[in-house]
Amino acid sequence: MNRGGSSASASANYLLCTNCRKVLRKDKRIRVSQPLTRGPSAFIPEKEVVQANTADERTNFLVEEYSTSGRLDNITQVMSLHTQYLESFLRSQFYMLRMDGPLPLPDRHYIAIMAAARHQCSYLINMHVDEFLKTGGIAEWLNGLEYVPQRLRNLNEINKLLAHRPWLITKEHIQKLVKTGENNWSLPELVHAVVLLAHYHALASFVFGSGINPERDPGIANGFRLISVSSFCVCDLANDNSIENASLAGSNFGCAEGGLPGPSVLSEHRHCLPSLQIVDSLGELEALMERMKRLQEDREDEETTREEMTTRFEKEKKESLFVVPGETFHSFPHSDFEDDMIIAADVSRYIEDPGFGYEDFARRGEDHLPTFRAQIKHASLDYTWENHGFSLVNRLYSDIGHLLDEKFRMVYNLTYNTMATHEDVDTTTLRRALFNYVHCMFGIRYDDYDYGEVNQLLERSLKVYIKTVTCYPERTTKRMYDSYWRQFTHSEKVHVNLLLMEARMQAELLYALRAITRHLT
Ligand SMILES: CC(C)C[C@H](N)C(=O)O
């Protein structure tokens, strides 16, 4: 096994699952039965989604009206837990894919593929490969970026920055795209492309965050499909929503995080945790509601200084850099999972520089804290969606601004006034904390918001989930999904995902549009 290579490089090919302790080969592909779990999501029991769907005529109407694939796909099924939102989502997606617009139809789908490939989201890639071909795309392009016209290829850079470090986008990037002679992009075309890229990066967050299952495809031989296990262990893919599985999620018990518990420790936890956890999480829910109430009451009498508000934002931003998703794997000594990560060739051909990701400063030590992050200030009107982004987008690409604006408002205001089993609760503070925390991770600050609230309302396991879903969605596991807010319903967790996805999309758009504005002025 070790012929000719050092032991370090040999061991770099192996990983140890922290959950079941199985030794895995990084590049191994396995055959798993299809579907992995029944229903549209691997995280949500099928009956919860299906019940909602069959009762809902509105969803069927929306699908007929706005679906490009013409079927009720898994994303739509899961989103239909929130029909009001679904309508805004489908309308804007339909607009950017099908209505009159600057870009030809197949190019739109190719751009969607490029965006999804940044997160190795094969669900979205497959879907848009289909639609690319159906709308008359040239099959050869599907061999990868080398086969597409240079103009489209030039989008690679902005795709990469937008997906992982949008604060780095400058007017020079825009200039390069609009002024490259015969391969140039007109501004309306570029805005169309940017909207598509941001939409599909964000949608990849939703797909991974909600555990969207592959579409059932009768064409797949014997009901099996090949999956790469380079980033998952089968034990994580298995999902029966059983208590035993859920017990492994216990973030408070440290069995899935930190050190490597031996098999005996794990099985002990399996048997003793469930009842403990329910008591514990009930307490968590009550405590969270108490904190929300206190924040609402305190707001009137507390006067915080400007400096203090700035400090709180900086503190939260800095801390977010150190929120590292609990890795599913511990690499063997000397191997660096990040660098060695093997990305299936069929996905990476749509991108260049696959190793480029959200800058994880925590790994580099404190000396490298970012100083380059832009602050988009609300009151100083530097740049906001309402005041700038919206009108620029609308000006360059007709009505898309209205549609996006409607969708952002919809998701920001969506509430059922519930908290798990409690009714008539004002959840504004909590929903705002979720949205603003995402913007905070992207360096966007609202100076009328007190970031101390984020700290009080979002527990660590939730922050880990948020960071994973928004920054490296492909690393989301069922364990992460299960480990926060254990008393809440699946529909509420999908609601969280909608907030995260839209906050991410808006953050990307803000940076791209600000760069376009600077280019224009
Ligand atoms: C994300 C959840 C806390 C939202 C809550 N269930 C509401 O209706 O507002």
Side-chain angles (χ1 to χ4, degrees):
M1 178 176 106
N2 198 14
R3 230 180 304 150
S6 71
S7 62
S9 67
S11 69
N13 294 324
Y14 295 89
L15 295 161
L16 191 62
C17 175
T18 56
N19 184 16
C20 67
R21 310 255 303 158
K22 212 192 276 169
V23 174
L24 307 162
R25 269 193 57 158
K26 276 191 199 172
D27 59 347
K28 196 176 155 202
R29 290 182 153 233
I30 52 162
R31 276 155 64 91
V32 290
S33 58
Q34 160 97 1
L36 294 165
T37 46
R38 290 162 55 81
S41 158
F43 298 169
I44 307 171
E46 184 178 20
K47 60 178 191 318
E48 294 214 17
V49 184
V50 173
Q51 268 166 8
N53 282 332
T54 43
D56 193 24
E57 277 177 34
R58 185 81 194 145
T59 303
N60 295 330
F61 166 78
L62 291 175
V63 170
E64 274 171 37
E65 200 76 352
Y66 297 119
S67 157
T68 46
S69 63
R71 61 174 176 197
L72 185 59
D73 57 48
N74 290 346
I75 295 184
T76 314
Q77 285 197 52
V78 172
M79 267 186 198
S80 72
L81 291 167
H82 303 277
T83 334
Q84 267 185 311
Y85 168 84
L86 178 66
E87 177 154 7
S88 307
F89 171 86
L90 287 177
R91 278 176 49 167
S92 66
Q93 185 175 256
F94 188 78
Y95 189 88
M96 59 185 95
L97 289 176
R98 282 292 177 274
M99 303 286 275
D100 270 355
L103 294 172
L105 296 190
D107 292 29
R108 304 178 191 190
H109 292 291
Y110 201 85
I111 292 168
I113 295 171
M114 287 172 71
R118 285 288 356 151
H119 292 301
Q120 303 143 53
C121 184
S122 42
Y123 178 93
L124 290 174
I125 294 175
N126 290 340
M127 184 177 223
H128 288 280
V129 161
D130 259 15
E131 297 206 21
F132 172 77
L133 293 171
K134 275 193 208 136
T135 50
I138 301 166
E140 206 196 357
W141 291 15
L142 298 173
N143 290 330
L145 279 190
E146 288 155 41
Y147 297 80
V148 305
Q150 186 62 37
R151 203 172 86 98
L152 210 45
R153 237 167 113 178
N154 289 346
L155 274 187
N156 176 64
E157 182 72 6
I158 202 159
N159 181 25
K160 180 175 102 175
L161 293 174
L162 211 47
H164 310 292
R165 305 181 205 170
W167 53 88
L168 294 182
I169 298 176
T170 61
K171 67 170 192 232
E172 282 73 31
H173 293 111
I174 307 297
Q175 257 146 23
K176 239 167 118 182
L177 287 164
V178 299
K179 285 195 187 137
T180 40
E182 53 175 322
N183 294 320
N184 73 322
W185 287 78
S186 73
L187 278 174
E189 285 171 333
L190 186 58
V191 170
H192 193 172
V194 161
V195 168
L196 283 163
L197 290 170
H199 178 83
Y200 282 100
H201 295 150
L203 194 53
S205 285
F206 183 83
V207 167
F208 288 111
S210 315
I212 300 295
N213 271 332
E215 297 297 328
R216 282 176 206 227
D217 185 352
I220 293 170
N222 313 324
F224 283 89
R225 67 192 180 107
L226 280 178
I227 59 154
S228 160
V229 288
S230 62
S231 51
F232 288 105
C233 175
V234 234
C235 80
D236 237 326
L237 295 167
N239 162 55
D240 52 5
N241 292 294
S242 68
I243 288 189
E244 203 172 85
N245 209 339
S247 76
L248 286 169
S251 62
N252 293 343
F253 298 87
C255 70
E257 290 185 335
L260 290 169
S264 59
V265 178
L266 274 181
S267 55
E268 222 177 273
H269 278 191
R270 272 197 185 121
H271 293 120
C272 71
L273 285 184
S275 54
L276 249 180
Q277 271 193 332
I278 287 164
V279 175
D280 183 62
S281 56
L282 265 177
E284 274 167 21
L285 172 64
E286 307 302 339
L288 175 58
M289 287 180 64
E290 194 48 47
R291 283 195 294 275
M292 285 164 63
K293 226 167 103 200
R294 222 174 323 121
L295 282 176
Q296 271 153 2
E297 287 162 5
D298 287 355
R299 193 163 301 136
E300 282 99 54
D301 34 73
E302 203 200 345
E303 259 302 321
T304 319
T305 61
R306 270 178 158 269
E307 292 74 45
E308 176 58 20
M309 295 279 266
T310 313
T311 314
R312 288 183 191 172
F313 170 78
E314 286 301 330
K315 185 167 169 273
E316 206 50 57
K317 185 177 86 175
K318 194 166 149 190
E319 276 174 17
S320 81
L321 302 174
F322 295 91
V323 173
V324 186
E327 280 164 340
T328 312
F329 300 116
H330 283 256
S331 304
F332 280 107
H334 308 299
S335 77
D336 186 337
F337 181 50
E338 292 290 297
D339 294 344
D340 293 353
M341 194 151 73
I342 292 152
I343 296 174
D346 49 338
V347 173
S348 65
R349 64 182 135 165
Y350 299 116
I351 53 174
E352 283 161 19
D353 197 1
F356 188 91
Y358 180 88
E359 183 94 307
D360 212 342
F361 302 96
R363 285 168 194 272
R364 301 185 170 199
E366 221 165 329
D367 299 349
H368 290 82
L369 278 173
T371 50
F372 49 79
R373 287 187 162 189
Q375 295 211 346
I376 299 183
K377 289 194 180 161
H378 196 59
S380 61
L381 294 185
D382 188 357
Y383 210 93
T384 63
W385 168 257
E386 291 82 9
N387 294 319
H388 304 83
F390 164 71
S391 58
L392 177 67
V393 142
N394 242 12
R395 183 148 60 84
L396 293 171
Y397 174 21
S398 48
D399 277 335
I400 193 71
H402 287 297
L403 289 163
L404 296 177
D405 193 50
E406 208 254 326
K407 179 161 64 90
F408 292 143
R409 279 174 207 275
M410 159 66 64
V411 83
Y412 198 80
N413 295 320
L414 186 68
T415 180
Y416 307 89
N417 296 304
T418 56
M419 284 277 282
T421 49
H422 298 261
E423 289 178 2
D424 296 322
V425 189
D426 181 354
T427 61
T428 315
T429 45
L430 187 56
R431 289 180 287 110
R432 198 181 312 137
L434 290 165
F435 194 92
N436 287 354
Y437 185 58
V438 174
H439 278 198
C440 174
M441 288 188 311
F442 284 97
I444 299 170
R445 167 173 179 231
Y446 298 95
D447 41 359
D448 54 358
Y449 181 71
D450 177 2
Y451 290 84
E453 296 193 6
V454 164
N455 210 32
Q456 292 186 54
L457 298 178
L458 310 183
E459 80 216 32
R460 196 181 154 79
S461 58
L462 175 52
K463 282 184 174 169
V464 168
Y465 178 77
I466 296 174
K467 184 159 177 190
T468 310
V469 169
T470 41
C471 300
Y472 343 82
E474 60 281 11
R475 295 192 205 165
T476 314
T477 63
K478 183 177 187 302
R479 261 187 291 164
M480 289 178 197
Y481 172 91
D482 285 334
S483 70
Y484 79 95
W485 286 7
R486 275 163 284 161
Q487 291 299 308
F488 285 72
T489 62
H490 288 288
S491 154
E492 285 174 307
K493 291 195 169 187
V494 172
H495 190 165
V496 169
N497 287 338
L498 299 178
L499 281 162
L500 303 184
M501 150 166 109
E502 294 299 345
R504 177 181 183 193
M505 178 172 185
Q506 201 185 83
E508 288 190 21
L509 283 179
L510 281 177
Y511 282 109
L513 296 172
R514 189 181 62 168
I516 294 177
T517 304
R518 287 182 175 166
H519 159 75
L520 286 170
T521 47

